[in-house]
Amino acid sequence: MIEMENFTRQADGSDRKELDIAIGGMTCASCVNSIEGGMKKVEGIYNASVTLTTGRGRFVFNPKLITPEKIAEEVEDMGFDASVIGEHQTYSMERTEESADLMISGMTCSSCVHTIESAVAELPGLLSVSVALSLSKGHFKFDPNKTNIRKIKEAIEDLGFEVTLPSKVNFDHQKEHREAIRKWLHSFLWSLIFGVPCMTIMMVFMSRHSRKIHDEDLIPGLSLENLLLFLTSTPVLIFGGRLFFIQAYKALKHRAANMDVLIALATSISYAYSLAMVIIAMSLRLKSPMVFFDTPPMLLMFISLGRWLEHKAKSKTSEALAKLRSYQAVEAILCEMDKNGLITSEQSIEIEMVQRSDILKVLPGAKIPVDGIVVSGLSSVDEALITGEAMPVPKHPGDVVIGGSINQTGVLILRATHVGQDTALAQIARLVEEAQTNKAPIQKYADKIAGYFVPMIISVSMITVIAWIIVGYVNPKAIDDSMMADHGTFMGTKSPVVTHHPMTQADRIHAAMMGVHNTSTNEDPHTKHPSGTLMESMDEKIFEFAFRCALSVLAIACPCALGLATPTAVMVGTGIGALNGILIKGGEPLEIVETIKTIVFDKTGTLTKGKPQMTKVCLFVDHSLCSIGKLLALVGTAEGSSEHPIAVAITSFVKDTLEIETFATCSEFIAAVGYGLTCKVSGIEPLIDRYEEKDRLKISIASPDMTLSGVVVERLPLLENRSRGPSPVDSPAQAPQVYTVLVGNRDWMRQNGMDVSEDVDQKMMEQERKGHTAVLVAIDGVVTGMLAVADAVKPEARLAVYTLQKMGLDVFMLTGDNRRTAEAIAAEVR
């Protein structure tokens, strides 16, 4: 009965977990196939998905049959580096079992273990407990609906032991990429330092050969050209090719073949062949042969450069996930409340210890730790990372808040509703991660082909040798024509000194050993026949040409484009998309994007710049009462004490216009969420004087409208001179004057006894119909001006929408903003 129950649980997936492992040493799609194929054969592993571009593998396994450490060992046994990143339960809406580990210090003997296990076992909802004295570690399984890890921790601490969470293994992808970049850069530099001279030497001597200039050998069998090529290619093969040979050895050790095997074969065979030919020529005192010492430097230099650039590109692909994870808070303030809703105690806890229904306190400027509902408090929250909206969202009791968003103004008390992997931020990060890990259908097909690619190339290379040997003996002229047409004098001079029939290879070796050229003379063949080489006879030319063609097949055959093109495109696309607020669910959506007929754009940050900017300034009083400079100085100083995005836009505009770095003095500052602010401002005289001295503003009756820093300034003296109005600019003052400044919406003005006339209200409605946010400015009890702020449309947005519509696509805009703003932006880009 127990066995059947276990089988049922395994079948429905309740015992399945997912494990993420960082895998190093993969170079092509053949490595991916090797790991996936091998790991799927391991008992306890249900599925394996490895991505080359991320250097990560995701394994679905049964923790009762195999451990994460064992899975990593299996990967390492296949010749790759493996590090466990983390494991997690496969997501289920009705989880009744969770597990956690705790580090326990202070245990001295087995009785301590028994004490802890006995005490914790009494907790409701605890399913199993296992404490290891040697590891100072405890493993706990529990029902999250009845208990949580914090209660387990507190129960152990009550026994007198110290309990901490295990140190997090935060795998640094950037560090891994930096290390790979460093290795391949060193490999490229070694190849470059010796490869460039090697290629230069090759081209110089080829040029001399084309002009029929041939140098005497330094010693019989060794020419200056071959000596220099040998000296420059050897360091490249040893130091520049070390990484390729290591990876090739690991692949062959596990009966796999990848691109490194091809590179190692091409470079080592060409080098070994060349070295052997030179040694034979020297030992037999023949003329130095034409060899392939130049092949390893050229091949390794260009491929190591490609690997270096490839890893630099890969390093940028994990930036999106790193940035998303950086939004997560690391600590939370846990509160205890009495029956009357009053806070009785507070303590700072790690974010991993937060549980559902916990009461948390969020201070101004702090990140909201988890998803929750506001219990008490008023504030505005920056939710741009989730919604993309640049304007903060006012929060009141009962409103939902999102973990990772930033609390701006007031203190919030909230009840946690989603924690850990259930938060919106964690699910977004996981969505991006899965999009980069999962393979597109075309990528799966490419990886499958790449698995057979390397053996196929080796087979084609062998067929090439055999085919050209057959062609050479059937039609020798084809070899001569190919060598002369493709390589010119690559095989050496063609001007013969003797007219008799060329000797065979066996005859020449025998003659060289006997010190004679043929049976009728005792002349030294090296002296009498400077053109004689190991490659002079027709059969040797055939074998040499066939061998060179086979090397070319090995050298140019590279599965990188096949195995890297699709995953790299997916990685870059999903990564850049996430950074710009576009969540792509993987390669398959990218693959089917050509079939779409409708495109839906997000407004903020996509069609618009995502940052509020000043669009208009209106002055409602006569210039004699308040100049534009004075209005800007007062409102800039008032808004300088606020962190609201509208305030940031206003202060930035004022600083640019008045050309100042600091504002005047602001006191008695009060901000009301969703309404505005009030304060006392003094000491603006230097700002106004400096502004007017530079004569930056020309007031003209004929032209009341003007532009400042690209913002339209409109003078509309709608209000008559009032005794309560602002003091005239030109009135002398014995001491710095103090102004009472209010900035906010209509309701804020009316709450403070300000009269908002119909004309002023009409001006505000004009801006609001355009989707702009209009705020009023009151100075000393009089509504003096209006400022309009808006998230401006990107210059290229209209062209993009027009182009897509011309392609026959239906274009829609999606926004969390109000309908009036949405319609205004839509009309602007339509």
Side-chain angles (χ1 to χ4, degrees), residues 91-148:
Y91 187 77
S92 172
M93 295 300 294
E94 299 180 356
R95 285 176 290 180
T96 59
E97 179 181 325
E98 288 186 2
S99 61
D101 294 332
L102 292 175
M103 303 305 297
I104 306 171
S105 59
M107 296 186 296
T108 57
C109 59
S110 57
S111 62
C112 297
V113 174
H114 177 71
T115 300
I116 295 173
E117 291 181 342
S118 300
V120 175
E122 296 177 358
L123 293 175
L126 198 79
L127 304 178
S128 68
V129 54
S130 175
V131 178
L133 177 62
S134 57
L135 300 177
S136 298
K137 184 178 181 180
H139 182 73
F140 307 90
K141 290 184 179 180
F142 56 92
D143 185 347
N145 299 314
K146 297 180 180 179
T147 189
N148 55 59

Side-chain angles (χ1 to χ4, degrees), residues 13 488 805 815:
Q805 289 176 337
T815 179

